[in-house]
Amino acid sequence: MSSASTSAFNLPDHLAVKADLELVGDDERHFASIQTTLAESVADLSARLETERKAPGGVGQEAMDRDEEIHRLSTRLSTLRRFALDLCLGRMIGTDGDDPVYVGRVGLTDRNGHRLLVDWRSPAAEPFFAATHATPMGLASRRRYRWTRGRIVDYWDEVFTSEGLRSSAALDDQSAFIASLGSDRSDRMRDVLGTIQADQDAIIRAGSTGALVVDGGPGTGKTVVALHRTAYLLYADPRLGHRRGGVLFVGPHQPYLAYVSDVLPSLGEEGVQTCTVSDLVPQGAAALPEPEPEVARLKSTAAMVAAIEPAVRFYEEPPTEGMEVDTPYADVWVSTSDWADAFDAPAPGTPHNEARDEVWEELVTILAGKVDIADTDDTENLAALVLRSIAQNRELAATFNKAWPLLEATDLVGDLWEVPAYLRLCAPWLSPEQVRALQRDDPRDWTLEDLPLLDAARRRLGDPEASRRRRRHEAVVAAERRRMDRVVEEILTLDDEEGMMAQLRQQGLRDALVDEGALPDADVDLLAGPFAHVVVDEAQELSEAEWQMLLTRCPSRSFTIVGDRAQARHGFTESWAERLGRVGLGQVEVASLRINYRTPEEIMLEAAPVIRAAIPDANVPTSVRSTGVPVAHGAATELTAVLDSWLAEHAEGTACVIGDTAFVATDRVRSLTPALSKGLEFDLVVLVDPDEFGDGTEGAVDRYVAMTRATQKLVVLTSP
């Protein structure tokens, strides 16, 4: 819509009846006001953002406030520029006779204070999503818009009272929703703000205390609920704001993250960190699954992760023998109690490598206190010399380095798989056979099952470069102080008619002239946490050990956990409460989604027996729609013909070939394994030799998952 005079509606000819001004006149006038206010808001936000960016950075709380304001302004400006009038999702008219309330992706108020849009996450907007005919929540009618390229190409009305009939043109209360289900898929998931169902909305708006499990089968909208809930919680719960840790969203694999990458920005949230579990550790990029099932099982337990603590403590044992340290001032005896007192200096929870300097400084201080220093005019300087002489003692430093060495996480974990005695010490519950099974010729050939152990080791050890960076920083600051001292002394030799130079003799002012910003910072790990809330999709696949990676990043234990026990490749026979309680989550609430909005009934009729053959009590959801297109079967040699025919008939939409590793993907046809198709959806899915996916539960789950990715048509091809 290029100007306020251009209609917001672009209805096709067969919907001409809906273009009557009696039906859309109020909308047109309201959209004109929205467009004017949008232009004003974008200009205002741009100016304010420019002003903030040019303002001095400040320090401390002032700097944090400035960064928070820049983030807030940038996010809102990005959202307003991303959309235009299609910020508006729809409107609702109450039984109270007041003006219609228009619901938007964000709230919008004109310069006179008139509310043009209420934010979809606000309490005022809740009836737009949650009202039903059984519980209308004070609504007479509700209208939903369908936007294409910034203009309305259709709209639907739902009427809750007889009064609502007067301003309604379409009375099919499911038409907007069903139309969205049948639309072509793209390579990016769309948000579903315009068609959120009441059962989904209740989960989206649930509180953030404890762990909420969103349990549901294929096509029930678990993922879109999780994404919309993320945006809702950031808006509604001040405890989860970016400054307080924000939200981490964890998906099953990279194709999934790419697929959902547009949803949160479209909902006005661009600061959410997204990742897979493998992304939490640098070694995850190259790690492959553990080939030995028993080894994978042993490494995937919480007990094995707990073995990292004794593995580190092994390197924090004080020497059991005393020693004498020679200094120019006196010979100092280092007793075993001196070592023990120094090793106890760090506060509990201080990472090993970062505690090392504290231990060393405490040891040097203890020993310096044993040297008698005569009370002279130079006592302070003499005490500093004593400290320096002890700190420079090579024999003492060598003994300390051996007792409390700097450690790398990769070395620590690698030693477990290379030194049987070390593994037995740290994991005494392992049998001799299990210890032997865990040994590796190349202990640093990392697998996915090693990642939780590497993560635990990294967090327990801390940065081995922290001490070196601190020493380099201290050296840089000392050199800067010496340089500024020379500058100040030169200035003081000048004539000082105003008497202002005397201020430079104050040490505080000299210190202020020193640039202490020269500390070479480590790269910030944006995934290290802590986070205020963590959302986990396809959570049924996580092992006990992987859960530990997430729990350490969320001390509040505030989680949204999304999954389907019937889609667990390695089986999931216990309840969610039992599984999560075992890994460390005590307060668990389960919300179930049982309606399949995505997968047509024809496909589910063939998919259900596949999973129930392996998991008889699988929660197979009920499909709400039928396409009339049965599942097609054929020979694997027909793959090219099937794809060519479908592409010729469909100018838009996406397809996926699952199971043929030789097939090369194109712009509109993906090629994936069953595991990498999880969480995705396509108009057409072609399975190639699904019987080759495997046996038992894992094979059945892979076939079930692959079959239920289709929203329109499923073709199953087999080799002779």
Side-chain angles (χ1 to χ4, degrees), residues 23 142 174 177 192 195-196 205 230 239 243 250 265 306 309 407 414 441 449 480 530 534 592 626 653 663 692 718:
L23 298 173
R142 169 171 58 196
Q174 289 295 305
F177 180 54
V192 295
T195 56
I196 289 174
R205 295 175 187 270
T230 299
R239 297 173 300 173
R243 183 180 292 184
V250 182
E309 178 60 30
L407 297 173
D441 293 334
E449 287 73 16
E480 181 75 357
V534 174
S592 294
S626 171
F663 179 78
E692 301 299 319
T718 55

Side-chain angles (χ1 to χ4, degrees), residues 400-606:
F400 172 72
N401 289 337
K402 185 177 180 180
W404 195 297
L406 283 172
L407 297 173
E408 294 276 0
T410 51
D411 293 334
L412 188 88
V413 177
D415 285 348
L416 291 173
W417 314 144
E418 193 172 28
V419 184
Y422 185 44
L423 179 57
R424 283 195 297 270
L425 174 70
C426 302
W429 64 87
L430 294 174
S431 69
E433 293 77 14
Q434 290 172 331
V435 170
R436 284 194 295 271
L438 287 165
Q439 300 304 294
R440 286 288 179 267
D441 293 334
D442 183 358
R444 290 161 184 78
D445 185 11
W446 306 116
T447 66
L448 295 177
E449 287 73 16
D450 289 315
L451 301 183
L453 301 167
L454 289 166
D455 184 61
R458 287 179 69 219
R459 299 179 78 86
R460 178 62 177 82
L461 293 174
D463 185 0
E465 290 295 319
S467 177
R468 298 187 185 102
R469 280 198 304 274
R470 187 172 72 88
R471 289 195 294 271
R472 288 198 300 269
H473 173 61
E474 290 172 349
V476 168
V477 171
E480 181 75 357
R481 289 184 186 279
R482 290 192 295 272
R483 186 180 72 83
M484 291 309 305
D485 282 346
R486 291 195 299 272
V487 171
V488 169
E489 292 303 327
E490 291 174 4
I491 293 175
L492 291 175
T493 62
L494 303 175
D495 291 337
D496 186 14
E497 296 179 359
E498 301 296 328
M500 300 297 293
M501 293 298 180
Q503 296 183 32
L504 292 175
R505 298 187 185 277
Q506 302 174 25
Q507 187 61 40
L509 188 52
R510 291 190 183 211
D511 291 344
L513 295 174
V514 176
D515 178 16
E516 297 199 14
L519 176 61
D521 292 329
D523 293 336
V524 177
D525 184 357
L526 297 177
L527 301 178
F531 293 94
H533 188 80
V534 174
V535 181
V536 192
D537 204 352
E538 302 296 347
Q540 74 277 354
E541 301 292 1
L542 266 60
S543 68
E544 288 184 9
E546 289 171 328
W547 272 112
Q548 305 311 305
M549 302 172 77
L550 302 182
L551 292 176
T552 58
R553 286 166 169 80
C554 189
S556 68
R557 299 296 191 263
S558 176
F559 279 83
T560 298
I561 297 165
V562 183
D564 177 15
R565 293 165 60 246
Q567 294 186 60
R569 299 181 76 236
H570 303 295
F572 196 132
T573 57
E574 57 197 330
S575 69
W576 279 108
E578 290 169 337
R579 168 69 63 87
L580 297 175
R582 186 156 48 79
V583 302
L585 285 170
Q587 186 176 349
V588 178
E589 181 180 348
V590 179
S592 294
L593 295 172
R594 301 184 181 279
I595 303 300
N596 188 334
Y597 299 115
R598 177 185 67 214
T599 316
E601 182 181 21
E602 292 81 0
I603 295 175
M604 288 306 298
L605 286 175
E606 291 208 20

Side-chain angles (χ1 to χ4, degrees), residues 33-57:
S33 299
I34 290 175
Q35 183 155 321
T36 299
T37 300
L38 276 175
E40 295 170 348
S41 296
V42 168
D44 180 56
L45 286 167
S46 299
R48 290 166 61 190
L49 184 58
E50 183 70 15
T51 299
E52 286 289 342
R53 285 174 171 164
K54 289 181 177 179

Side-chain angles (χ1 to χ4, degrees), residues 40-90:
E40 295 170 348
S41 296
V42 168
D44 180 56
L45 286 167
S46 299
R48 290 166 61 190
L49 184 58
E50 183 70 15
T51 299
E52 286 289 342
R53 285 174 171 164
K54 289 181 177 179
V59 296
Q61 185 64 41
E62 181 182 356
M64 292 177 63
D65 290 343
R66 174 179 176 271
D67 290 346
E68 184 74 11
E69 181 65 6
I70 288 176
H71 172 82
R72 188 187 68 81
L73 293 173
S74 299
T75 298
R76 184 167 178 84
L77 184 59
S78 175
T79 301
L80 295 186
R81 285 175 169 168
R82 186 184 185 97
F83 298 95
L85 289 179
D86 49 352
L87 278 171
C88 185
L89 305 170

Side-chain angles (χ1 to χ4, degrees), residues 84-401:
L85 289 179
D86 49 352
L87 278 171
C88 185
L89 305 170
R91 76 178 195 192
M92 48 188 175
I93 298 176
T95 56
D96 53 14
D98 290 344
D99 291 338
V101 174
Y102 288 79
V103 178
R105 296 175 179 275
V106 296
L108 190 67
T109 303
D110 67 18
R111 290 184 171 176
N112 297 320
H114 178 62
R115 176 67 71 177
L116 300 175
L117 294 173
V118 298
D119 193 296
W120 70 273
R121 296 167 289 190
S122 67
E126 185 173 359
F128 182 77
F129 304 100
T132 65
H133 291 281
T135 309
M137 300 179 71
L139 296 191
S141 67
R142 169 171 58 196
R143 173 172 292 182
R144 302 175 190 261
Y145 304 114
R146 184 174 186 180
W147 297 88
T148 298
R149 298 181 179 87
R151 299 181 72 188
I152 297 170
V153 295
D154 203 352
Y155 67 89
W156 299 270
D157 291 331
E158 296 175 57
V159 175
F160 299 97
T161 67
S162 58
E163 290 81 4
L165 289 170
R166 299 173 185 173
S167 58
S168 301
L171 304 183
D172 177 5
D173 63 352
Q174 289 295 305
S175 56
F177 180 54
I178 297 300
S180 71
L181 295 178
S183 62
D184 293 326
R185 263 50 186 177
S186 69
D187 60 353
R188 292 289 188 272
M189 176 182 278
R190 306 182 182 99
D191 67 70
V192 295
L193 277 181
T195 56
I196 289 174
Q197 301 299 286
D199 59 340
Q200 297 173 330
D201 186 67
I203 296 173
I204 289 170
R205 295 175 187 270
S208 63
T209 302
L212 174 65
V213 177
V214 184
D215 178 81
T220 54
K222 300 185 301 297
T223 295
V224 293
V225 166
L227 290 162
H228 289 67
R229 175 168 166 77
T230 299
Y232 172 78
L233 289 177
L234 283 168
Y235 170 88
D237 192 336
R239 297 173 300 173
L240 308 185
H242 299 285
R243 183 180 292 184
R244 297 177 181 268
V247 175
L248 174 67
F249 192 99
V250 182
H253 47 71
Q254 287 299 331
Y256 167 95
L257 293 181
Y259 181 57
V260 303
S261 60
D262 283 349
V263 176
L264 284 169
S266 76
L267 299 175
E269 295 296 343
E270 299 191 356
V272 176
Q273 297 297 322
T274 62
C275 69
T276 67
V277 170
S278 297
D279 295 331
L280 298 175
V281 184
Q283 292 76 18
L288 296 174
E290 170 60 53
E292 299 293 335
E294 175 62 9
V295 172
R297 186 189 68 81
L298 291 171
K299 289 183 177 181
S300 296
T301 62
M304 190 60 76
V305 176
I308 294 300
E309 178 60 30
V312 176
R313 285 204 308 268
F314 178 79
Y315 293 100
E316 296 179 350
E317 292 293 331
T320 56
E321 296 182 1
M323 64 179 293
E324 192 167 74
V325 176
D326 297 332
T327 77
Y329 310 97
D331 293 339
V332 181
W333 178 253
V334 189
S335 68
T336 55
S337 62
D338 293 334
W339 283 112
D341 290 344
F343 275 46
D344 286 340
T350 305
H352 171 90
N353 291 324
E354 296 166 24
R356 190 171 182 273
D357 283 351
E358 292 184 50
V359 176
W360 175 249
E361 290 169 5
E362 180 68 14
L363 179 64
V364 171
T365 301
I366 289 172
L367 300 185
K370 294 185 176 186
V371 178
D372 290 330
I373 300 176
D375 188 8
T376 67
D377 293 339
D378 202 26
T379 298
E380 183 176 344
N381 187 48
L382 184 59
L385 292 173
V386 170
L387 282 169
R388 186 181 304 169
S389 67
I390 294 174
Q392 293 176 346
N393 186 280
R394 293 185 178 181
E395 185 180 0
L396 180 67
T399 303
F400 172 72
N401 289 337

